[in-house]
Amino acid sequence: AYNTPKQPVVRFKRNKHHKGSIYCVAWSPCGQLLATGSNDKYVKVLPFNAETCNATGPDLEFSMHDGTIRDLAFMEGPESGGAILISAGAGDCNIYTTDCQRGQGLHALSGHTGHILALYTWSGWMIASGSQDKTVRFWDLRVPSCVRVVGTTFHGTGSAVASVAVDPSGRLLATGQEDSSCMLYDIRGGRMVQSYHPHASDVRSVRFSPGAHYLLTGSYDMKIKVTDLQGDLTKQLPLMVVGEHKDKVIQCRWHTQDLSFLSSSADRTVTLWTYNG
């Protein structure tokens, strides 16, 4: 039995920010920009002050997408100045990169043949994207183009990739798929390490812990699980249920320093959990 958590104080709220449902949200690394993507086909970027919890300027609005925006991610690292936004989704299946400081588009990256469901950025110029076309693509913004395609058809027919993450060292890719499986892929070696089934339904969220000792997964089976990655990754991995919602789990995110995490769910709650290992 879990303790009933206390209700948090709402510090900032904006009604009718988009004309449609908001599918994704992302903070810039510096915490001064808040980006949202919607099925109204717009990306909005809100200048924000985290100290005062207030918007600090007019919204930037970008209309390059011709379908629902399913995921957003800012480029990490000083190379990008902290304000390069990556966005993708339905429609033309392109990934768009935008310089939010100048308010202008940079690239349209094409290659996926199905809707893009997930994005992840690392090392200042790399992007991983997961798609309904059953592949993960790696993109290098220095080129800028696709530098590798990773399929999911190692066992059987493959599956749509609903979530992607890369560990802090840039060595390991994790995917969450609609067939309830997760894949671990060795980026430098270019090979799959393991595919396993931690859940009973779509895995919608995968994230490495800050030290990469654990993989946090959230699923439409209403459960949140942690996989222990500290042993031999080719062997069966220890798995633990660390949280449960009353409806589908949509997203899970670790705290940046400690082993606590947030989850959001179709049960209309966002919950903060602590993981005690």
Side-chain angles (χ1 to χ4, degrees):
Y2 302 112
N3 296 330
T4 304
K6 62 177 186 286
Q7 287 303 303
V9 178
V10 175
R11 298 287 303 274
F12 177 81
K13 184 175 182 179
R14 176 179 284 188
N15 295 319
K16 307 288 186 207
H17 185 51
H18 280 271
K19 292 187 177 71
S21 304
I22 296 173
Y23 274 71
C24 46
V25 59
W27 287 105
S28 64
C30 59
Q32 291 170 354
L33 297 172
L34 180 61
T36 49
S38 167
N39 61 3
D40 65 9
K41 304 179 187 176
Y42 281 93
V43 172
K44 285 195 169 190
V45 179
L46 182 69
F48 198 81
N49 184 322
E51 296 293 312
T52 62
C53 282
N54 272 317
T56 57
D59 300 356
L60 298 168
E61 197 170 80
F62 301 103
S63 60
M64 61 284 196
H65 290 275
D66 65 352
T68 298
I69 294 107
R70 295 296 299 263
D71 208 2
L72 296 162
F74 279 93
M75 243 331 148
E76 300 278 350
E79 299 88 348
S80 60
I84 305 294
L85 179 66
I86 321 299
S87 57
D92 61 15
C93 304
N94 283 347
I95 297 170
Y96 288 93
T97 67
T98 307
D99 183 332
C100 294
Q101 263 161 353
R102 294 195 178 92
Q104 66 189 43
L106 298 173
H107 313 110
L109 304 171
S110 61
H112 277 297
T113 57
H115 294 173
I116 296 162
L117 303 177
L119 295 169
Y120 195 85
T121 64
W122 80 101
S123 84
W125 50 74
M126 295 298 294
I127 304 167
S129 56
S131 168
Q132 281 181 343
D133 67 15
K134 304 182 181 180
T135 69
V136 175
R137 283 176 176 257
F138 294 151
W139 312 79
D140 186 332
L141 283 191
R142 295 168 297 184
V143 183
S145 64
C146 179
V147 291
R148 190 180 307 173
V149 182
V150 180
T152 58
T153 53
F154 299 103
H155 304 297
T157 56
S159 175
V161 180
S163 184
V164 290
V166 173
D167 82 318
S169 73
R171 285 191 290 231
L172 198 62
L173 165 79
T175 68
Q177 282 144 229
E178 289 188 355
D179 67 356
S180 78
S181 70
C182 285
M183 177 176 72
L184 297 175
Y185 178 86
D186 175 356
I187 294 172
R188 291 178 190 174
R191 62 188 178 87
M192 187 179 75
V193 180
Q194 179 166 168
S195 177
Y196 68 109
H197 285 264
H199 291 279
S201 187
D202 305 33
V203 182
R204 303 305 297 192
S205 189
V206 292
R207 280 296 182 272
F208 290 95
S209 62
H213 290 156
Y214 304 103
L215 184 71
L216 182 69
T217 56
S219 168
Y220 278 2
D221 69 5
M222 305 192 276
K223 291 182 171 63
I224 305 158
K225 295 190 179 183
V226 162
T227 305
D228 190 330
L229 303 175
Q230 293 175 96
D232 183 343
L233 296 182
T234 63
K235 301 273 196 319
Q236 186 173 347
L237 300 168
L239 202 59
M240 188 173 165
V241 178
V242 292
E244 196 161 351
H245 278 272
K246 294 185 174 70
D247 203 338
K248 296 172 178 176
V249 177
I250 307 296
Q251 213 171 44
C252 302
R253 293 288 183 269
W254 290 102
H255 188 276
T256 51
Q257 277 99 35
D258 59 41
L259 289 180
S260 58
F261 57 91
L262 280 168
S263 61
S264 61
S265 167
D267 67 13
R268 301 183 174 201
T269 66
V270 175
T271 307
L272 176 65
W273 313 79
T274 52
Y275 175 60
N276 299 317

